[in-house]
Amino acid sequence: MAMVKMTIDGRDVAAPEGSTILQAAKSVGIRIPTLCYHERLKPIGSCGLCIVEVDGSATPVAACETPVRDGMEVVTSSDRLFCMRQEVLKSILVHHPLDCPICDKAGECLLQDLVYEHGVTGVEAPAPSAKFRNGYATAFLRSWPERCVLCFRCVAACTEIQGHFALSTVEGPDGSPLVAYDESKCVSCGECIQLCPTGALVEKKSERRWRNWEVEQKVRTTCPYCGVGCQQLLHVKNGRIVKVSGVEGAEPNQGRLCVKGRYGFDFIYSEERLKTPLIRENGRFREASFDEALDLVAGRFKKIIAESGSDAIAGVSCARSINEDSYQMQKLFRAVIGTNNIDHCART
Ligand code: SF4
Ligand code: SF4
Ligand code: SF4
Ligand code: FES
């Protein structure tokens, strides 16, 4: 791969041709503030926060969108850039309600952090939030349009990553772009929430139930729902899961989850959950040990095979099983029981 040589804040940097200034800076540990950028998305270029000076240019450029070139001299931090970033943040706050005390995102909100970092303490003339459309909700998510910073990460998350096209960019009444939502295409996967940098999209299941700083543990695990093996983070408060998110940067899902993996965790706490094998006798179930239950099943299998042959038995393995368990299931049926009647229920 051809490399270009440049300087960033006076440091010599070699970056792959075609990469952006933001990527080149990150590769040597230089942080440039961003809001609309997310490494899983193509550059959006909507916020203007990642501005940097190039070769002493009169007008700064967006680091997330500008490709590197040989001999480029980049400055990422100066009094001028700091003031310009402050102005960008103030222009967002003009339309922003600052309801951090009741916002689910408080504590892990990128806007909150950037405003704090840049010492923006208020705006002179807050504007009414008529700029935004009405909110929308599904069984699992709710939008708070007035908290939206119009970064359009959610639109890219829904189209580029999930391919559902439920979100799009439309022209608002004043000519500026807005996010539009199409309920008929939304599958409540929550990818838009995971990538939204603010509290403009929140999860209904956790709304007003806990604060981010109350999560005492984030436990990494594998989703139990299907054989894909998506990596999840279980957010735990007082020993109970309060939220599930996808693990950014981890295979195979790279942060993505489906609606089941993200929101279907209540069953763990169900009182009706089976904790021991049950054997039916005289029309009623009674609790049994695994040894007793397995002996009973093995005995019945032997009896059926003796009376009617191995092909009188069929096995259907569970879609929630891991590959190794499914492999062993077919091995048990083919090699031990002696039938090819083996199938899997994940045929949707
Ligand atoms: S989105 Fe962020 S800045 Fe806005 S109210 Fe919520 S926590 Fe505060
Ligand atoms: S929940 Fe999923 S499908 Fe629905 S808008 Fe968000 S990203 Fe798109
Ligand atoms: S809802 Fe969130 S991700 Fe979407 S444009 Fe608004 S702030 Fe950005
Ligand atoms: S992060 Fe570059 S324009 Fe938003």
Side-chain angles (χ1 to χ4, degrees):
M1 183 184 296
M3 302 293 277
V4 293
K5 291 188 176 159
M6 58 191 295
T7 65
I8 303 181
D9 294 340
R11 286 171 61 180
D12 290 330
V13 178
E17 203 172 33
S19 58
T20 62
I21 296 174
L22 187 67
Q23 289 166 328
K26 201 173 168 198
S27 72
V28 292
I30 295 173
R31 173 181 167 267
I32 298 169
T34 57
L35 182 55
C36 67
Y37 172 81
H38 191 282
E39 55 189 17
R40 280 201 279 137
L41 304 171
K42 291 181 197 144
I44 300 170
S46 61
C47 75
L49 211 72
C50 65
I51 43 173
V52 293
E53 289 167 4
V54 173
D55 305 337
S57 57
T59 314
V61 299
C64 69
E65 294 190 298
T66 309
V68 294
R69 70 177 151 69
D70 233 6
M72 198 177 223
E73 291 175 12
V74 177
V75 173
T76 70
S77 132
S78 65
D79 289 348
R80 176 176 172 239
L81 287 172
F82 190 80
C83 288
M84 291 177 84
R85 288 176 186 144
Q86 278 186 321
E87 291 308 314
V88 169
L89 291 166
K90 282 183 189 171
S91 72
I92 292 173
L93 293 189
V94 161
H95 298 279
H96 200 86
L98 282 186
D99 54 2
C100 309
I102 56 155
C103 179
D104 271 22
K105 196 76 175 189
E108 60 171 8
C109 170
L110 190 50
L111 177 63
Q112 200 181 43
D113 291 346
L114 288 165
V115 165
Y116 190 81
E117 176 187 346
H118 288 82
V120 178
T121 52
V123 289
E124 285 76 33
S129 48
K131 181 176 166 109
F132 301 101
R133 296 191 155 195
N134 290 334
Y136 55 86
T138 75
F140 297 107
L141 65 95
R142 183 194 308 282
S143 78
W144 291 76
E146 63 280 13
R147 293 181 192 152
C148 176
V149 296
L150 298 173
C151 67
F152 305 110
R153 274 196 200 182
C154 55
V155 177
C158 190
T159 52
E160 273 174 39
I161 296 182
Q162 297 293 56
H164 290 305
F165 302 92
L167 297 174
S168 57
T169 310
V170 294
E171 193 176 299
D174 63 357
S176 60
L178 286 181
V179 177
Y181 172 71
D182 181 346
E183 186 183 5
S184 66
K185 294 180 179 161
C186 178
V187 296
S188 287
C189 66
E191 181 70 15
C192 50
I193 302 182
Q194 177 145 336
L195 294 202
C196 177
T198 71
L201 293 171
V202 297
E203 303 194 343
K204 266 193 181 171
K205 283 187 102 154
S206 55
E207 207 175 14
R208 308 271 172 82
R209 301 219 179 117
W210 53 280
R211 307 299 279 160
N212 286 300
W213 50 86
E214 292 175 329
V215 168
E216 63 245 351
Q217 256 187 310
K218 288 185 185 174
V219 182
R220 181 167 166 176
T221 190
T222 302
C223 178
Y225 272 103
C226 80
V228 173
C230 290
Q231 293 301 293
Q232 305 176 315
L233 275 185
L234 309 180
H235 303 235
V236 178
K237 175 190 169 186
N238 295 337
R240 286 178 76 92
I241 299 168
V242 291
K243 171 180 160 173
V244 174
S245 61
V247 181
E248 293 287 340
E251 297 294 355
N253 50 317
Q254 293 285 343
R256 286 176 291 178
L257 291 175
C258 73
V259 64
K260 294 177 295 177
R262 198 181 294 277
Y263 300 117
F265 54 85
D266 301 307
F267 71 91
I268 313 175
Y269 303 112
S270 170
E271 289 299 315
E272 294 173 4
R273 201 172 164 192
L274 297 183
K275 298 186 176 125
T276 177
L278 300 174
I279 291 177
R280 196 199 317 252
E281 279 175 354
N282 304 321
R284 297 177 73 93
F285 284 114
R286 70 163 172 83
E287 292 190 355
S289 69
F290 274 98
D291 279 348
E292 185 188 3
L294 290 171
D295 283 348
L296 177 70
V297 172
R300 294 269 171 92
F301 276 1
K302 280 183 190 160
K303 188 164 177 277
I304 293 169
I305 292 168
E307 287 172 2
S308 313
S310 299
D311 283 338
I313 296 178
V316 179
S317 92
C318 173
R320 295 182 191 179
S321 304
I322 56 174
N323 284 339
E324 290 78 1
D325 284 350
S326 293
Y327 175 82
Q328 290 186 348
M329 176 85 170
Q330 62 84 29
K331 206 71 177 165
L332 172 75
F333 271 71
R334 292 199 169 106
V336 179
I337 293 176
T339 178
N340 289 324
N341 291 340
I342 175 73
D343 207 346
H344 187 270
C345 71
R347 188 177 295 106
T348 51

